[in-house]
């Protein structure tokens, strides 16, 4: 049988990795897929031929729309990234009856509902394993491997750049901006690195995980997003003193009131496996009612790890080319007519324990006044430490851990504490997740 012809859009970090993996492992991949897979056309504005193999069989142009319009091509791999023209290219490919494989989390989180509806109408597949947690096959695990379960919650380190920054700050005391530059040079960071450090990239990925876990439409705009830029070295140290690590976590959980969807710095007990996932590595904990907690770990970014997921999707598509479109694995895990519009909880409604750090005057009665405000709001303190003042400073950091409280109540109490004359500046807060299945 002739090889399946594939058009590749983008020859950057992931596009180049995909071409190299498909070239290097061509025989083994064909034995798995049941057919050869050949990238025959690629579109790229710029590329470095010295880093690419198999170019002799690829016709390269800078016109991505010509590739999606080429009638010989059956599968389009979209690795340009961003919202536009990726959206237009993917929709055009679908309209032309081509299957699509993409690593574009921003595109799926923002426009996935529209794209999947178009794919269903035209009877084609849109595969997006590489969009979440790079090389970890987490979409396949949740969508297929855990299909028996009611998923209770998912918590993941799903941005490699942010995890690399937090790890280097903690282990080597390095500066935030210096580590970020290294992540960019290694090809981990997004084109706009604020997507990494402000949690937008992780929120795109969490949006996708929440949908396939609970069978709800993609709703990126309802995902609470908070970055890591406000974390100070002292918080890393104090978290450690309390027995916690700070990680940038994406959490989605089914509760009686609705679904939590949130990305924020999170303190995790340091003995949890996921608290020890360092550097650019990602990890996703999934808790299912039947299976209990399961953990998936691996490289969340980078050229060939991401290419691994892209290529596996291409193999899946090739295997399913002859299946009736109604009998394929549904894009969002649940049959399209079975998606439900459950409410997504605003962050004020979410319950959590908190780490709090405030700068207070070092004199009698201050801690008592703060404790009274918390007690009046029915917020229990689990642990409290007053730290040493810096030399010549009359104020000291006061750090504490609260028991679980609804965020709205905590906000009111913290606003009252910030009004006290003996408290200076804003109170730092970090949510705590114990992640005990
Ligand atoms: N910028 C992303 C990260 C790339 O650092 O995880 C993978 O999606």
């Amino acid at each position: 049988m002739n090889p399946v012809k594939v058009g590749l859009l983008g020859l950057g970090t992931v596009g180049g990795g995909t071409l190299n993996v498909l070239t290097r492992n061509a025989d083994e991949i064909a034995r798995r897929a049941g057919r050869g897979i050949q990238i025959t056309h690629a579109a790229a504005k710029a590329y470095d031929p010295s880093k690419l193999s198999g170019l002799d069989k690829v016709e390269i142009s800078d016109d991505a729309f010509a590739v999606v319009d080429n009638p010989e091509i059956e599968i389009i791999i979209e690795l340009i990234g961003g919202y536009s023209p990726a959206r237009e290219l993917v929709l055009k490919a679908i309209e032309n009856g081509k299957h699509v494989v993409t690593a574009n989390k921003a595109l799926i989180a923002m426009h996935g509902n529209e794209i999947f509806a178009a794919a269903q109408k035209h009877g084609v597949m849109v595969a997006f394993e590489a969009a979440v947690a790079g090389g970890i096959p987490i979409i396949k695990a949740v969508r297929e491997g855990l299909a028996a379960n009611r998923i209770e919650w998912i918590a993941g380190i799903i941005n490699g750049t942010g995890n690399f920054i937090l790890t280097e700050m903690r282990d080597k005391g390095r500066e935030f901006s210096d580590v970020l530059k290294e992540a960019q040079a290694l090809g981990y960071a997004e084109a706009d690195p604020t997507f990494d450090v402000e949690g937008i990239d992780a929120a795109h990925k969490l949006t996708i995980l929440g949908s396939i876990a609970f069978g709800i439409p993609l709703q990126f705009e309802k995902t609470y997003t908070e970055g890591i830029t406000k974390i100070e070295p002292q918080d890393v140290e104090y978290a450690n003193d309390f027995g916690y690590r700070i990680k940038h976590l994406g959490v989605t959980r089914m509760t009686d009131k609705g679904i939590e969807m949130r990305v924020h710095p999170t303190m995790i007990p340091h003995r949890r496996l996921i608290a020890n996932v360092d550097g650019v590595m990602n990890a996703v904990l999934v808790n299912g009612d039947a299976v209990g907690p399961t953990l998936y770990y691996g490289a969340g970014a980078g050229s060939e790890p991401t290419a691994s997921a892209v290529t596996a999707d291409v193999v899946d598509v090739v295997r399913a080319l002859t299946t009736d479109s109604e009998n394929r694995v549904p894009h969002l895990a649940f049959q399209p007519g079975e998606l439900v519009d459950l409410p997504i909880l605003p962050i004020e409604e979410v319950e959590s324990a908190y780490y709090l750090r405030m700068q207070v005057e070092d004199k009698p009665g201050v801690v008592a006044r703060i404790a009274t405000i918390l007690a009046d709001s029915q917020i229990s303190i689990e642990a409290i430490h007053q730290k040493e003042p810096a030399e010549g400073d009359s104020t000291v950091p006061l750090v504490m851990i609260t028991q679980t409280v609804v965020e709205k109540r905590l906000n009111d109490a913290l606003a009252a504490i910030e009004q006290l004359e003996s408290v200076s500046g804003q109170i730092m807060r970090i949510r705590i997740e114990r992640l005990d299945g």
Side-chain angles (χ1 to χ4, degrees), residues 14 103 105 130-134 158-163 183 187-191 195-196 201-202 205 280 282 300-302 306:
V14 182
K105 52 263 162 152
V132 182
I158 44 180
N159 181 268
T161 302
N163 202 39
Y188 300 149
E190 295 303 298
F195 274 44
D196 294 297
D201 176 74
K205 295 166 180 167
V280 75
N282 280 194
T306 312

